[in-house]
Amino acid sequence: MLSSTFERKAFTLLTCLFISSLVIAAVVSTKIISIFGFYAPAGVLAYSLTFIASDIISEIWGKERANEVIHCGFIALLAAIFLSWAALHWTPAPFWNGQDGFASVLANTPRIVLASLIAYSVSQTHDVWLFHLLRKKMDGKHLWLRNNLSTVTSQLIDSTIFVTIAFYGILPVTEIILGQWMAKTAIALLDTPLVYLGVSVLKRQNRLCTAS
């Protein structure tokens, strides 16, 4: 068992990474970026970090703890909707002239956060479910395969739901879904060493605590 202090710090750090990445992804996704000729919301990298955190949490602490973090993220997104709406509509100071630029960034944020809420709830729940289904079927082996299969399929679900709700009628949805999913898939493949590193460090600490 991990020492209580180390476990608390590690779990808190991963939870903070998960929630902060989730919220900032919703804010910056108002911008569409180009990635090698494909198009995706700018939050694609930040959102991909949530899957790294959730997969490490799932592997070390189990499905129940991972779902607790997902629920905390859902509440954080609800708070982001309210706070962005309040900031946008609050009467600005008479000497402040940045309302137009501020509105251009945040005006669509509530719709994007709503899209994030729905896509997030479905995709993250699916990710944790599939990760543990594969973990059971593979007897806890092949972390790299479980990580990638659960993340890639969940990212496709997330991209389809998020982009459709956030940008339908405004931007070319099909192109953005494809671009976002391909970017997330590439990141998922690249993040495998990070998942292995995180799990390895935590398990090593666990062995040291057990030995002592």
Side-chain angles (χ1 to χ4, degrees), residues 165-186:
I165 296 175
F167 301 115
Y168 183 78
I170 302 175
L171 297 172
V173 169
T174 302
E175 290 182 37
I176 297 176
I177 290 174
L178 179 61
Q180 185 180 51
W181 183 58
M182 292 186 69
K184 287 179 176 179
T185 298

Side-chain angles (χ1 to χ4, degrees), residues 11 15-16 18-20 22-23 64-80 117 120:
F11 185 77
T15 301
C16 289
F18 183 95
I19 293 176
S20 61
L22 180 67
V23 173
E64 185 176 347
R65 295 288 290 275
N67 281 326
E68 287 176 5
V69 174
I70 290 173
H71 296 155
C72 290
F74 187 86
I75 294 172
L77 279 176
L78 285 176
L117 278 171
Y120 164 81

Side-chain angles (χ1 to χ4, degrees), residues 35-36 38 44-45 48 52 147-148 151-152 155 178-193:
I35 306 174
F36 300 113
F38 294 96
V44 62
L45 176 58
S48 295
I52 298 176
N147 170 55
N148 285 311
T151 298
V152 168
Q155 295 282 26
L178 179 61
Q180 185 180 51
W181 183 58
M182 292 186 69
K184 287 179 176 179
T185 298
I187 294 170
L189 295 174
L190 293 172
D191 75 26
T192 300

Side-chain angles (χ1 to χ4, degrees), residues 82-146:
F82 171 75
L83 293 172
S84 62
W85 179 87
L88 181 62
H89 292 88
W90 206 300
T91 303
F95 54 81
W96 189 68
N97 299 315
Q99 181 65 19
D100 290 341
F102 188 74
S104 68
V105 174
L106 286 185
N108 201 37
T109 296
R111 178 175 174 178
I112 287 176
V113 175
L114 177 62
S116 297
L117 278 171
I118 298 172
Y120 164 81
S121 299
V122 176
S123 64
Q124 290 285 357
T125 301
H126 178 272
D127 181 61
V128 172
W129 169 80
L130 183 57
F131 183 90
H132 284 278
L133 177 66
L134 295 172
R135 190 174 194 268
K136 183 177 181 180
K137 289 185 176 297
M138 297 178 184
D139 295 322
K141 301 176 181 178
H142 309 302
L143 174 59
W144 67 272
L145 183 59
R146 290 184 277 121

